Amino acid sequence: MCSLRGRRQKRMFQDKRWLKREDILQFVLARKRQSGGFAMTPLLPASLEDTYHAVKILKILAHPIPSSTKAYIASLRWSDYYLPKNLYQLAILYQAMEQVLPTKELSETIRCILKWKKLSLEHLTYLARLLKLLNLGMLKATLCQRISFDRWRVLKELYHIMDCTQVCHISLPQKAASWVKQCQNGDGGFGFMPHTSSFLENTYYALKLMLYLKTKPENIRQCRQFIRYCYVSSRGGFARSPGGVVLLESTYQGLSALKMLEIAF
């Protein structure tokens, strides 16, 4: 019997004849290197970040993680990474393989990072995700003290703040919902801020935010159309904007955005 996820995934491709699961799968697997990890292009070495996005795409496609990829992930040493984003990505990859996370070691690493004098909003966001993932409630207060929840310039920053609010149990400002809607352009996509060019990553951030804020885009049909135009059928993947370079990260964002539109809006 098919799972609910499998049925939704199958319907997503059936309802969109322009989107072919086999083409996307071919695009992703073409970037798997001999090491088992994935790279930005078939000519580059594998990286943690590209492997993270590849595995996330395979999950959406309900395709098993190749055994060589599991071996590659197992070969990655936690001590080689210190940035919160990389630590979070490796933790998610461990989860995908159903491996036990080194909670004690990660907890000590997070304590050290929280002592850094300068932490970007992105750093704080991935630390918040790690705290939630590892259920390290005792470090939440230290993290939350370092975040400004009512100041942002672009959609990505508000998206990061959203992640932090869920850990710190603080609501986003009331102005957030209307501001996100103002970022949508006539082509259906979303810009970095109101009156700026549309990009797929901004559209992904906006849909995530609206799902959290329990609102929806002003023009859902045009939003779907913009995402479709970012798909490069000859390559089997998504680009940041129509006619752009196809990337694993953009492909993950495109599929995720379509999934959100399919299920939530």
Side-chain angles (χ1 to χ4, degrees):
M1 183 180 292
C2 293
S3 66
L4 178 59
R5 179 188 297 171
R7 291 197 297 271
R8 282 175 173 170
Q9 179 263 336
K10 185 176 180 181
R11 187 174 71 243
M12 182 171 76
F13 288 97
Q14 285 180 337
D15 293 346
K16 299 170 182 61
R17 303 297 180 184
W18 54 271
L19 190 68
K20 298 187 182 300
R21 179 183 181 277
E22 295 76 17
D23 291 347
I24 297 172
L25 191 57
Q26 183 178 353
F27 162 76
V28 175
L29 294 178
R31 279 149 181 77
K32 186 166 77 70
R33 311 302 291 138
Q34 188 174 1
S35 63
F38 289 79
M40 183 180 291
T41 75
L43 300 177
L44 291 175
S47 71
L48 168 61
E49 188 160 353
D50 288 307
T51 303
Y52 167 80
H53 287 118
V55 168
K56 296 283 276 187
I57 295 168
L58 293 178
K59 184 177 180 180
I60 293 174
L61 299 178
H63 185 84
I65 302 173
S67 57
S68 60
T69 301
K70 291 181 179 180
Y72 170 80
I73 296 169
S75 73
L76 298 175
R77 296 182 301 180
W78 289 94
S79 58
D80 288 340
Y81 302 97
Y82 65 94
L83 292 177
K85 181 178 182 178
N86 295 145
L87 292 171
Y88 174 77
Q89 289 173 337
L90 186 52
I92 292 298
L93 289 176
Y94 260 59
Q95 273 199 333
M97 297 196 308
E98 298 181 350
Q99 295 292 314
V100 177
L101 291 170
T103 303
K104 184 178 179 180
E105 292 82 354
L106 278 172
S107 176
E108 289 304 312
T109 301
I110 293 170
R111 286 180 189 275
C112 291
I113 294 173
L114 284 171
K115 293 177 182 178
W116 293 359
K117 288 185 178 181
K118 291 185 178 181
L119 282 171
S120 68
L121 179 57
E122 181 174 270
H123 287 155
L124 291 167
T125 298
Y126 284 103
L127 286 174
R129 292 184 184 183
L130 281 167
L131 293 182
K132 185 177 180 181
L133 187 68
L134 301 169
N135 196 27
L136 297 175
M138 63 282 195
L139 296 176
K140 289 181 182 178
T142 306
L143 172 80
C144 298
Q145 290 172 0
R146 304 191 63 171
I147 302 167
S148 298
F149 292 95
D150 59 351
R151 291 203 304 265
W152 64 86
R153 295 167 298 174
V154 294
L155 268 171
K156 186 177 183 178
E157 291 180 355
L158 183 57
Y159 167 72
H160 284 326
I161 292 171
M162 175 194 72
D163 275 348
C164 295
T165 61
Q166 296 178 65
V167 171
C168 299
H169 304 294
I170 296 174
S171 299
L172 283 174
Q174 290 186 345
K175 63 181 180 180
S178 60
W179 188 86
V180 173
K181 288 186 177 183
Q182 291 170 25
C183 292
Q184 188 173 25
N185 295 310
D187 62 6
F190 288 75
F192 296 94
M193 60 183 73
H195 314 300
T196 59
S197 300
S198 299
F199 284 94
L200 184 57
E201 68 266 26
N202 296 324
T203 305
Y204 167 79
Y205 300 143
L207 292 176
K208 280 279 191 179
L209 280 158
M210 285 188 280
L211 192 61
Y212 177 69
L213 293 165
K214 298 181 180 179
T215 184
K216 59 184 180 181
E218 294 289 347
N219 196 326
I220 295 176
R221 181 176 173 276
Q222 282 298 104
C223 186
R224 286 196 181 98
Q225 196 77 337
F226 174 79
I227 297 169
R228 177 175 180 174
Y229 288 153
C230 289
Y231 181 67
V232 183
S233 58
S234 61
R235 302 293 304 279
F238 287 82
R240 293 182 64 222
S241 60
V245 177
V246 178
L247 300 168
L248 284 168
E249 182 175 11
S250 297
T251 300
Y252 166 66
Q253 291 169 342
L255 290 173
S256 297
L258 287 173
K259 190 175 178 181
M260 284 186 278
L261 287 172
E262 184 77 34
I263 296 171
F265 299 113

